[in-house]
Amino acid sequence: MLKAENIHVDLGRKTILHGIDLAAHAGRVTAIIGPNGSGKTTLMRALTGEIAFQGSATLNGVDIAGAQPWQLAAMRGVLPQSATLAFPFTVHEVVRLGLTSGIMGADGGDLVIEALKAVDLGGFEARFYQELSGGEQQRVQLARVLCQVWEPLLNDVPRFLFLDEPVSSLDIKHQLQIMRIAADYAARGGGVLAIMHDLNLTAAFADHVVLISDGRVFAAGKPPDVLTSGNLERVYDCPMRIGSAPDGNGMLVLPDLAAAQPIDHQNHASGDWNDATSGR
Ligand SMILES: Nc1ncnc2c1ncn2[C@@H]1O[C@H](COP(=O)(O)OP(=O)(O)OP(=O)(O)O)[C@@H](O)[C@H]1O
Ligand SMILES: [Mg+2]
């Protein structure tokens, strides 16, 4: 279990997180949602031990701030929001970085291939990472994380995937594929903490949702209790409609286009962008 209490983070001279409480249980997909700049990535960086914070955070009872890097690496894998590589690594080399020596045994070669297949990149091993598309690179990074914590349980102790916007660059098929990997990881006993912007995927795949606003938890609970039009309108400043899927299974979360603020063309400086898009 991941347990965080009263997390405060200061970056520069600004307080970014103002006392966040969060619990992410093994066996569940926990989604963190919230607007740009609300503090989601900062929270994840604190909970992965990457940045200093005040408050208490434990992963399976281990104090995150005081743990050794190898201790954390054995228990959780981290997919950052963006990852750039300075050197011309092949896909195989990037995914191999996820193998934690001493845990996998052998050279983990088969696991690299397996992980790449899992993210639909079978056959990409020899390609150069920098020559891949944005979505392909994102899936390579996920394969690297999967390689690191392939088995959701290590000696019966749950491992965790920390995923910062894992599907942000992906097409619809691969969004589903990656969310299914996350859900399957949780179903097999691991834990998943995923930052999401897609509210429909959140409704479909999350067991628990934490809605962040201005560095504070605005609401937390099951998707139907958190993804209400009232909560979302307040936090995202956007009129929303909540409905059910056409087959009656699951929720639909949509912006209310009719109620959304129209663009004020009179006060738009030149209207150039509109001319450009209409080809005039
Ligand atoms: N290194 C830093 N120094 C100063 N301020 C920072 C730093 N990193 C982030 N911030 C600020 O902290 C706030 C939260 O940033 P964070 O990256 O956590 O947002 P987020 O919720 O992940 O947003 P997004 O959805 O755009 O990824 C922002 O206002 C950002 O400008
Ligand atoms: Mg972010």
Side-chain angles (χ1 to χ4, degrees), residues 183-242:
D184 178 65
Y185 199 84
R188 291 187 293 130
V192 179
L193 185 68
I195 295 175
M196 303 287 294
H197 276 304
D198 188 313
L199 301 175
N200 287 298
L201 285 178
T202 302
F205 285 96
D207 302 295
H208 185 77
V209 182
V210 181
L211 172 58
I212 305 281
S213 175
D214 288 331
R216 294 181 172 84
V217 174
F218 187 90
K222 292 196 165 77
D225 298 330
V226 175
L227 301 172
T228 63
S229 55
N231 282 346
L232 299 176
E233 284 177 11
R234 280 275 297 281
V235 171
Y236 287 94
D237 189 24
C238 177
M240 300 294 294
R241 294 166 64 193
I242 311 293

Side-chain angles (χ1 to χ4, degrees), residues 79 91 94-99 111-121 136-150 163 178 181:
L79 179 74
V91 165
V94 173
V95 177
R96 258 196 113 256
L97 293 173
L99 295 173
L111 197 50
V112 170
I113 307 286
E114 283 272 306
L116 280 168
K117 275 192 197 146
V119 298
D120 203 19
L121 287 176
E136 288 165 347
Q137 288 185 347
Q138 194 171 20
R139 278 148 55 209
V140 170
Q141 290 296 340
L142 184 71
R144 175 183 62 74
V145 175
L146 289 175
C147 250
Q148 184 188 329
V149 287
W150 184 254
L163 311 173
I178 297 318
I181 289 174

Side-chain angles (χ1 to χ4, degrees), residues 11-12 14 16 35-42 81 165 197:
L11 293 176
K14 213 171 139 204
I16 308 294
N36 292 144
S38 56
K40 304 178 299 297
T41 293
T42 304
Q81 186 164 2
E165 297 193 29
H197 276 304

Side-chain angles (χ1 to χ4, degrees), residues 111-180:
L111 197 50
V112 170
I113 307 286
E114 283 272 306
L116 280 168
K117 275 192 197 146
V119 298
D120 203 19
L121 287 176
F124 275 62
E125 294 76 11
R127 297 274 301 272
F128 281 105
Y129 178 82
Q130 275 139 329
E131 293 174 6
L132 301 183
S133 76
E136 288 165 347
Q137 288 185 347
Q138 194 171 20
R139 278 148 55 209
V140 170
Q141 290 296 340
L142 184 71
R144 175 183 62 74
V145 175
L146 289 175
C147 250
Q148 184 188 329
V149 287
W150 184 254
E151 295 297 338
L153 298 171
L154 179 65
N155 303 325
D156 288 332
V157 177
R159 293 162 126 184
F160 278 72
L161 298 173
F162 286 74
L163 311 173
D164 194 343
E165 297 193 29
V167 299
S168 56
S169 299
L170 304 189
D171 62 61
I172 189 78
K173 169 186 158 182
H174 291 111
Q175 288 180 8
L176 283 179
Q177 189 167 359
I178 297 318
M179 293 312 296
R180 285 192 181 119

